[in-house]
Amino acid sequence: MAYVTPSYRGYRLETFVFRDQDAAPAEHKHDRTLAVSVRISQSAADDPASPFEPKLFRLESVLFDAIGDARRAGDEFGRSLVDDIIHGNQTEV
């Protein structure tokens, strides 16, 4: 399921929460099996001719047992990536 942050500093953030396929089969309901990815793209209000292509980033090494926790972590992760883009730091895909 995707959760959209309409605009953060001129970028659109979409947080995706999904079951991690690499996680061991869950014996208990609340095993940490939820993973997070964030897609960053230009906001619609910005110049559509911008060279910035949408990019997808996965929050590595952290799994969650609650959708809300995963979504909040994804939102924060996306905002930190946008801050890095704005400040000119290179971000690996």
Side-chain angles (χ1 to χ4, degrees):
M1 175 172 262
Y3 301 92
V4 178
T5 301
S7 181
Y8 178 73
R9 295 186 173 200
Y11 292 87
R12 177 184 164 119
L13 305 177
E14 295 175 80
T15 302
F16 298 94
V17 177
F18 55 94
R19 291 239 178 251
D20 184 35
Q21 297 299 321
D22 297 331
E27 292 181 13
H28 302 288
K29 183 178 180 182
H30 294 291
D31 284 350
R32 294 181 180 264
T33 59
L34 297 175
V36 176
S37 289
V38 178
R39 181 169 46 197
I40 300 174
S41 58
Q42 288 287 150
S43 292
D46 291 336
D47 181 16
S50 172
F52 186 83
E53 293 291 324
K55 294 182 182 175
L56 186 66
F57 300 90
R58 182 165 178 182
L59 181 56
E60 297 289 339
S61 73
V62 180
L63 295 176
F64 301 90
D65 60 359
I67 291 173
D69 292 340
R71 185 177 60 83
R72 284 186 290 279
D75 290 346
E76 185 63 34
F77 178 59
R79 287 185 186 108
S80 70
L81 291 171
V82 167
D83 291 340
D84 287 345
I85 291 168
I86 289 174
H87 291 102
N89 297 332
Q90 289 291 352
T91 304
E92 295 290 322
V93 175

